[in-house]
Amino acid sequence: VTMEFPELGAACSARGCMEKNDFLPFTCDGCKKKFCLNHHKPEAHTCPVPPRNDKYVPVCPLCQQAITIKPGEDPNAIVDRHIRAGCPKVVAKQPKSNACSFRGCKEKEFVPVSCKLCKQPFCLKHRFETDHDCPAKGKGNPAAGKSNPAAAAAAARMGDARTNHSQPRMPAFPANDIAKRTAQAASSLFSAPPPAASGAAPPTRQSNRRNQKHANKPKDAIGASGIPANERFLLSVYFPQASNRAPEFHVMSARWTVGKVIDVLSDRGRILNNNSRPGSVKLNLFNGSGSRLNPSDSLENCVLQSKLEGGGPVLLEYGESLAGFEPGSLKGVEDKHGCITM
């Protein structure tokens, strides 16, 4: 390696050292000579100029002030000179505050931010020349006073486009009118359940629904896709009376529980469902006779228990029972549209 790279390394300067070519020599801070690993310390090669590594700040015994000394200075001489001068107060240099130069602004930045034109320090809010009314605006930028024909033509085209294709403005409504419209929109999306009461929820009073017409036909029932043909179960669904939603035909899986059917119908009909919250009024499913279906029973079990039939009507409503309900008032349909009849 020495023959291939003769310029690398250096011989140790210690007397009697056998290390003639150290590739990583050390340079002494005192005598500035090069030494090997074994002789790089000042006491190992008897350095004639030992470096001063004892960095400390002396304190005046009279005024108890810390006195700054420079490398190589004698601390005793510096302290003695300080005492002879009458112990003058040592004023430390204050770091720059980087305060904003804008009139009335008291912001300070950790990093100096200056204007490119007037070179004055500003905060991030007033750093641009247009934000602090820069006196050098238009002088430091040679292109500031020149007009750009292409930019002017583009601005003119944009102005014409805005004039010719301006969008119609929305009609202005009073603040109370906007609040009413917002409440009406929210009520149309979600039907609010009756207020919760202590103990059992009161029966939900029902009006006559004989004249309600379905929004779709059985052949166009909602939810058939994604359910195997041998599991499809057609239901004539009536939504909560407060929702003002027309009844619809929906397809469910016969293996689903009544609880899952409630969740699916509330999602499809955008009906508020707080069944997972304790203490809230529950959303239940009732058959055409007004009897509440057990949420843990599957649709198959409801059919086997003669509580439900394919294509039959069901009512999605809040509360544990119904008041004023007329059995047989809900219309169903015979299941002849690809859904199972059990």
Side-chain angles (χ1 to χ4, degrees):
V1 178
T2 305
M3 296 177 62
E4 294 179 0
F5 304 99
E7 69 280 359
L8 295 180
C12 181
S13 301
R15 183 178 299 178
C17 181
M18 302 300 294
E19 190 68 41
K20 298 301 180 182
N21 196 0
D22 193 336
F23 286 96
L24 297 174
F26 294 86
T27 302
C28 179
D29 294 336
C31 61
K32 307 300 180 184
K33 295 182 180 180
K34 298 183 182 299
F35 296 92
C36 64
L37 179 63
N38 298 329
H39 301 101
H40 72 284
K41 295 183 179 181
E43 59 272 13
H45 62 268
T46 316
C47 183
V49 189
R52 296 184 58 87
N53 295 326
D54 50 346
K55 297 180 182 180
Y56 69 96
V57 179
V59 179
C60 176
L62 300 181
C63 63
Q64 301 298 322
Q65 290 190 84
I67 304 172
T68 305
I69 61 174
K70 297 180 180 180
E73 292 182 338
D74 187 5
N76 296 324
I78 299 299
V79 173
D80 182 67
R81 185 172 60 188
H82 170 76
I83 295 175
R84 290 179 182 275
C87 293
K89 186 177 180 180
V90 179
V91 180
K93 291 184 179 180
Q94 296 294 334
K96 294 183 179 181
S97 61
N98 298 323
C100 180
S101 301
F102 188 73
R103 180 180 299 178
C105 183
K106 299 181 180 180
E107 293 292 331
K108 297 180 181 179
E109 301 293 341
F110 290 102
V111 180
V113 180
S114 59
C115 175
K116 295 182 179 180
L117 300 182
C118 63
K119 308 300 181 183
Q120 295 295 325
F122 292 96
C123 63
L124 295 177
K125 183 179 179 181
H126 302 111
R127 67 186 185 276
F128 295 114
E129 59 271 12
T130 55
D131 297 329
H132 61 265
D133 297 331
C134 183
K137 183 170 57 176
K139 298 179 181 180
N141 188 2
K146 298 180 181 180
S147 60
N148 191 339
R157 289 195 298 270
M158 290 296 295
D160 296 340
R162 291 175 181 175
T163 303
N164 298 332
H165 303 283
S166 58
Q167 296 182 357
R169 295 184 177 179
M170 296 294 294
F173 298 103
N176 55 355
D177 195 11
I178 295 176
K180 292 180 181 179
R181 291 172 181 270
T182 305
Q184 292 175 0
S187 62
S188 64
L189 293 177
F190 297 101
S191 61
S198 58
T204 304
R205 181 165 295 277
Q206 300 292 312
S207 60
N208 189 2
R209 298 195 178 190
R210 292 182 181 272
N211 298 326
Q212 282 188 315
K213 296 183 179 181
H214 286 69
N216 60 344
K217 297 181 179 181
K219 64 178 182 179
D220 301 324
I222 302 172
S225 60
I227 299 178
N230 60 341
E231 296 181 11
R232 294 176 182 174
F233 195 91
L234 180 66
L235 289 176
S236 174
V237 181
Y238 286 76
F239 292 97
Q241 185 167 289
S243 66
N244 295 325
R245 188 182 181 95
E248 298 172 348
F249 288 101
H250 286 257
V251 174
M252 301 292 165
S253 173
R255 298 181 180 179
W256 289 355
T257 62
V258 174
K260 183 174 181 179
V261 172
I262 294 174
D263 294 337
V264 173
L265 289 177
S266 62
D267 290 340
R268 292 179 183 176
R270 307 190 71 169
I271 305 299
L272 185 62
N273 184 1
N274 289 330
N275 288 0
S276 60
R277 295 183 180 181
S280 61
V281 179
K282 305 299 181 183
L283 189 63
N284 286 292
L285 195 67
F286 301 86
N287 60 12
S289 301
S291 300
R292 173 179 170 271
L293 301 179
N294 189 353
S296 60
D297 288 343
S298 64
L299 296 182
E300 291 177 333
N301 292 337
C302 292
V303 173
L304 295 176
Q305 297 172 11
S306 301
K307 296 181 179 179
L308 194 64
E309 59 183 7
V314 290
L315 173 61
L316 189 67
E317 190 56 87
Y318 296 99
E320 302 293 330
S321 59
L322 303 175
F325 178 77
E326 298 181 10
S329 61
L330 305 183
K331 298 179 181 179
V333 65
E334 187 178 358
D335 190 359
K336 295 181 180 179
H337 301 277
C339 303
I340 64 172
T341 54
M342 305 177 67

